[in-house]
Amino acid sequence: LMATTLFGFANIVPDRWFATSERFVVNTLSVFTNYVGWALGTLIPCIIIQNNADNMPKNTLFQAYIITIPFILAVFIKEKPKVPPSYSALVKQTDEKGFLEEMRILLKSPQFVGGSLCFGMVLGLSNSIPTTNSIYMAPLKLSDLEQGYITLGYVVAGLIPGLLGAWWIDRKGLKDCDFLLRCLLTISLVSLAALGIVFTYVEDPSMFLILVYNCVLGIGLIGF
């Protein structure tokens, strides 16, 4: 839930405070740093706890430190340009439309509704993969640390094509965007089916096999 909210802020901030030519890169960095945090968040607790429940308070304390840092920065560092660099920010200074009126305008756009539903479904599915993996891996002879590496591979493998795709769109424009998205969703469908077959029909799959399929799945879902 927190991550979904952050994706919304990742769209608003570039729109308000960055020039048009800079928004794509800023938006990409905002979204992908969230995924980097997710990747580290799946591995670091496994390293701290090490299959010992007595180490759970150390992990909670570490998370509290990490969460406190951006909170302090947000409270004590206030900075925004005197002159809004984007047209959206300039209009927002005199725009009298409220939130509900703006939402009514957006919901009348089939492109916005369709794009939001598609992105939301892919985002929800991508976030559910580590949880689904943990359910199927529970009976296997895999440590928490090995499972953490599998999730790390899933996320990091997806970041690479995602960043390459962002660079490609930034250089070439949106004309090939639909083709790229279809390729990534096709990869997701095939690898998800293959991973399901592995968990269902392979009696004791190795960590390496699960990791490979998760990496390919990450390329499709996270890359999307």
Side-chain angles (χ1 to χ4, degrees):
L1 182 60
M2 289 284 290
T4 306
T5 306
L6 289 175
F7 278 118
F9 282 113
N11 284 297
I12 293 173
V13 173
D15 180 60
R16 295 289 185 263
W17 298 114
F18 289 89
T20 304
S21 60
E22 300 171 345
R23 288 184 206 169
F24 194 84
V25 173
V26 173
N27 190 296
T28 300
L29 291 175
S30 300
V31 172
F32 275 63
T33 49
N34 184 58
Y35 273 110
V36 171
W38 182 26
L40 295 176
T42 61
L43 184 62
I44 292 176
C46 298
I47 296 174
I48 295 175
I49 296 174
Q50 292 288 346
N51 293 326
N52 185 357
D54 293 336
N55 292 329
M56 186 64 74
K58 296 180 181 179
N59 177 58
T60 305
L61 186 61
F62 177 79
Q63 291 179 337
Y65 286 142
I66 297 299
I67 294 173
T68 302
I69 293 172
F71 174 78
I72 294 174
L73 294 176
V75 170
F76 292 102
I77 299 179
K78 302 289 185 182
E79 184 178 357
K80 63 180 180 179
K82 295 179 181 179
V83 179
S86 73
Y87 177 74
S88 300
L90 184 63
V91 169
K92 203 63 184 175
Q93 290 184 340
T94 56
D95 186 15
E96 296 180 355
K97 290 186 178 69
F99 171 78
L100 293 178
E101 188 173 355
E102 290 183 344
M103 286 303 300
R104 279 196 293 268
I105 294 173
L106 287 174
L107 291 175
K108 290 179 181 178
S109 167
Q111 292 84 358
F112 172 79
V113 175
S116 298
L117 288 174
C118 181
F119 178 75
M121 287 189 291
V122 175
L123 177 62
L125 179 61
S126 67
N127 288 340
S128 70
I129 293 301
T131 303
T132 306
N133 272 332
S134 65
I135 294 173
Y136 281 102
M137 289 189 295
L140 304 179
K141 299 176 182 179
L142 296 175
S143 66
D144 291 339
L145 185 58
E146 289 175 322
Q147 295 184 38
Y149 279 123
I150 289 173
T151 303
L152 180 68
Y154 165 70
V155 178
V156 172
L159 290 178
I160 296 172
L163 286 173
L164 291 176
W167 173 81
W168 177 266
I169 293 172
D170 189 47
R171 293 289 301 273
K172 303 295 184 180
L174 294 173
K175 61 180 180 179
D176 297 321
C177 183
D178 289 345
F179 174 74
L180 291 174
L181 295 181
R182 289 192 188 99
C183 289
L184 292 173
L185 288 181
T186 302
I187 292 172
S188 301
L189 179 61
V190 173
S191 56
L192 187 61
L195 187 62
I197 292 173
V198 168
F199 280 135
T200 303
Y201 295 105
V202 179
E203 184 175 351
D204 190 17
S206 66
M207 173 195 168
F208 178 75
L209 184 63
I210 299 174
L211 176 61
V212 169
Y213 281 113
N214 269 273
C215 287
V216 178
L217 184 56
I219 290 173
L221 287 179
I222 306 297
F224 178 88

